[in-house]
Amino acid sequence: MKRPHVLVIPFPTQGHIIPLLDLSLSLASRGLALTLLTTPGNEPLLRPLLSTASSQNLFIQSLILPLPPPPPPPPPHNETQLLIHSLPHLIYSLEGLADPLEQWLLQQKLDESSDEFGPVICIISDFFLGWTQDTATKLGIPRIVFCPSGAFAFSVISSVWKYMPHLGVESDEGEVSIPGFPHPLTLRKFQLSPLAQVYKSSDPVHEFIKYIMNLNLQSWGTLINTFYSLETPYVDHLRTVSGRPVWSVGPLLPPAVFHHKQKQEMNPQRGNPNSINEALCLQWLDGRKERSVVYVCFGSMAILSEKQNEEIAAGLEASEESFIWVIRDNGNAKVGLEERVKKKGLVIRGWAPQLLILSHPSVGCFVTHCGWNSTLESISLGIPMIAWPLTADQHSDALLLVEYLRVAVRLCEGLNAVPNRDMLASAVKRVVGGEGEEGLRVQELSRAAREAVKQGGSSSSNLEDFVTCIRNLAPDKL
Ligand code: UDP
């Protein structure tokens, strides 16, 4: 039996790919056949999903298309900036997939050999792959934008690329008001996406990014990783400005998170391989009091300086609470740190089983860079946050968390900020344990997240509605 066939194109960084793979699993389990496109270098990122799909008899296949090597990015100032500086070039280089993708789509349309995979009837692609809109339009295939950011942040991003309100604002601290936002909103220039901050009309890479971000507005619709009651005005706003459907289908997380399944099922290889034995990590957490552990992690990309790490270590020590601290290591974090903090702290150098840790009853607060996935994970699991937004959409997320949702307190902001150790210690004392305002509010939102994803809830209904729309696209209404 041929199934409705959807081509899914993730943007190959962890924060973008993890939620889209979770969504892909949900769509396949609702009877769609999926092809996931990536490049040879990123193929390992798809493997865990492909093996889960095959063990559950779901129809997910990969399409690996080669890409010419990207041009070298400009020299960075530090390691995190290396990733940020290379981002425009990564976004630009992926457009090299447009021709081979078009060829594949044309050939695939004629291919009758598969029993399950009919012709592609729709493309779901990340918002950094706006060029896929041109391919889709050319071939008459509807394209859906996948938005890994929240609705508040995506409203800011869309407005900034449309109106470029920061052009002419010289200083990083200069005020930028965001046009057409659901309510008055002024940000500092440094709080905008670095892709927009560095924009120069004379630079072809920057012009390309502006072009593709605006192409997203022409899509057939948007799938966004949020839930309606969390960001109601901003989801409504996106629907109004695009004039197209916006399906809020989050939080996109493994179902085990919401079903109190076995702890081990919580984290079926999400992202990179874990740098710690999961059983040891759980054993360490089992030995701590309920809601007493501070979890510190700044996402998949950020590498902090020695000075920043030193203040974190001192602040955690001064708080006198137990902690798990994830360090993306480049040798900056001092050798001997583990020894120094071993009475109270567990240091994970590399990749932590984050969902497993956040799901443990001993965890009582999350010191986070406010990446949207980390944010949704913390909210879903009812953990109040201490916010240190570094870059990208994290400043918008932190604003939402601190000012509007009131589930986080702010520590500091920006890639170059050095947190004050006393402020960190007092933020931990205020937030850990969950008795304060942030803890109570986040429990309410955690309940709302669970409501959204359960059968009949807003995200679950939106997903069903989306699948129905896709089925209706199939020529013979499969
Ligand atoms: N993550 C993880 N272990 C780590 C670091 C990150 O499992 O050591 C996961 C985390 O759970 C989240 C994603 O990687 O799902 C990071 O996405 P986020 O949007 O929070 O931040 P980004 O990495 O994009 O800055």
Side-chain angles (χ1 to χ4, degrees):
M1 182 194 73
K2 291 231 190 289
R3 290 157 188 270
H5 182 185
V6 178
L7 176 66
V8 178
I9 319 181
F11 184 75
T13 56
Q14 296 291 3
H16 288 242
I17 204 167
I18 287 174
L20 186 49
L21 297 192
D22 283 338
L23 175 65
S24 298
L25 197 59
S26 268
L27 295 175
S29 65
R30 285 170 168 80
L32 304 185
L34 305 186
T35 296
L36 270 87
L37 167 59
T38 196
T39 56
N42 291 303
E43 188 266 336
L45 299 175
L46 303 187
R47 276 185 212 152
L49 174 71
L50 294 173
S51 79
T52 308
S54 95
S55 69
Q56 297 180 13
N57 295 321
L58 302 176
F59 292 91
I60 303 184
Q61 65 181 11
S62 61
L63 167 65
I64 311 296
L65 294 177
L67 192 64
H77 302 294
N78 67 33
E79 308 257 348
T80 304
Q81 284 170 352
L82 169 66
L83 289 162
I84 291 161
H85 278 263
S86 59
L87 189 62
H89 293 263
L90 175 61
I91 294 172
Y92 186 61
S93 70
L94 286 167
E95 203 255 349
L97 289 172
D99 283 342
L101 171 62
E102 193 180 322
Q103 291 313 313
W104 180 80
L105 283 165
L106 289 169
Q107 266 169 23
Q108 192 271 338
K109 211 170 168 180
L110 307 173
D111 182 7
E112 290 287 319
S113 63
S114 166
D115 286 344
E116 302 290 340
F117 290 77
V120 167
I121 54 171
C122 125
I123 298 174
I124 301 175
S125 55
D126 190 278
F127 67 25
F128 279 161
L129 303 170
W131 54 267
T132 52
Q133 184 61 45
D134 279 339
T135 310
T137 307
K138 194 166 166 189
L139 301 183
I141 303 172
R143 178 229 171 187
I144 315 293
V145 179
F146 173 69
C147 179
S149 296
F152 182 101
F154 193 44
S155 300
V156 173
I157 293 168
S158 302
S159 169
V160 166
W161 284 110
K162 189 168 174 192
Y163 300 106
M164 305 298 275
H166 56 296
L167 296 185
V169 177
E170 293 299 324
S171 144
D172 285 350
E173 295 286 335
E175 291 190 345
V176 180
S177 51
I178 307 301
F181 204 71
H183 49 77
L185 179 69
T186 301
L187 298 174
R188 307 267 169 196
K189 189 175 163 193
F190 77 89
Q191 295 174 318
L192 304 180
S193 152
L195 292 171
Q197 283 181 59
V198 298
Y199 168 83
K200 283 193 205 76
S201 60
S202 54
D203 185 319
V205 174
H206 298 177
E207 266 309 314
F208 172 78
I209 293 173
K210 181 178 173 204
Y211 172 71
I212 60 152
M213 290 311 283
N214 283 315
L215 264 186
N216 286 328
L217 291 172
Q218 293 175 24
S219 74
W220 198 70
T222 301
L223 282 160
I224 186 162
N225 187 13
T226 190
F227 56 101
Y228 190 62
S229 64
L230 185 72
E231 297 194 278
T232 307
Y234 314 109
V235 176
D236 288 344
H237 169 73
L238 289 172
R239 197 171 287 134
T240 307
V241 293
S242 68
R244 308 286 163 105
V246 175
W247 292 276
S248 50
V249 292
L252 293 166
L253 292 169
V257 171
F258 296 106
H259 295 139
H260 304 287
K261 288 263 178 66
Q262 291 261 315
K263 286 172 189 167
Q264 278 72 3
E265 281 179 47
M266 207 68 87
N267 199 39
Q269 187 55 68
R270 254 176 134 238
N272 293 331
N274 293 322
S275 309
I276 185 169
N277 177 293
E278 290 170 23
L280 277 182
C281 188
L282 286 175
Q283 200 184 4
W284 189 92
L285 282 162
D286 286 344
R288 315 283 138 172
K289 280 206 309 258
E290 201 164 307
R291 299 201 158 271
S292 69
V293 173
V294 184
Y295 174 62
V296 186
C297 181
F298 300 99
S300 61
M301 293 171 106
I303 296 174
L304 302 185
S305 68
E306 184 178 341
K307 211 163 158 207
Q308 289 169 323
N309 280 328
E310 176 53 38
E311 284 303 303
I312 295 172
L316 290 171
E317 284 176 318
S319 78
E320 297 179 349
E321 299 292 346
S322 300
F323 58 89
I324 294 183
W325 180 12
V326 187
I327 298 181
R328 217 143 306 297
D329 201 1
N330 64 347
N332 270 343
K334 277 194 188 134
V335 181
L337 193 66
E338 282 84 346
E339 194 53 32
R340 172 175 152 193
V341 300
K342 78 175 179 206
K343 272 208 193 112
K344 285 279 182 181
L346 178 64
V347 175
I348 301 176
R349 289 180 191 256
W351 193 259
Q354 179 159 306
L355 263 187
L356 193 70
I357 293 171
L358 290 176
S359 314
H360 195 283
S362 295
V363 175
C365 96
F366 183 5
V367 182
T368 171
H369 71 315
C370 307
W372 188 243
N373 295 293
S374 296
T375 296
L376 282 182
E377 289 159 17
S378 205
I379 287 177
S380 301
L381 291 157
I383 317 270
M385 285 162 268
I386 295 174
W388 174 5
L390 298 167
T391 181
D393 55 358
Q394 298 150 21
H395 293 286
S396 299
D397 298 343
L399 194 63
L400 179 75
L401 293 174
V402 175
E403 308 279 332
Y404 296 88
L405 300 175
R406 305 192 312 281
V407 293
V409 296
R410 193 184 282 279
L411 178 61
C412 54
E413 59 184 334
L415 275 173
N416 299 321
V418 178
N420 175 293
R421 60 184 69 187
D422 299 329
M423 275 176 71
L424 175 55
S426 69
V428 166
K429 284 190 183 128
R430 169 172 164 173
V431 172
V432 81
E435 301 295 318
E437 188 197 3
E438 296 77 24
L440 299 177
R441 286 276 306 146
V442 81
Q443 285 299 330
E444 278 173 36
L445 294 183
S446 168
R447 283 192 287 277
R450 280 162 204 276
E451 282 297 314
V453 296
K454 79 178 193 203
Q455 209 184 353
S458 63
S459 293
S460 157
S461 306
N462 288 340
L463 203 57
E464 295 298 340
D465 180 55
F466 174 73
V467 171
T468 306
C469 289
I470 298 307
R471 286 185 185 283
N472 285 337
L473 285 172
D476 44 0
K477 306 258 167 52
L478 297 163

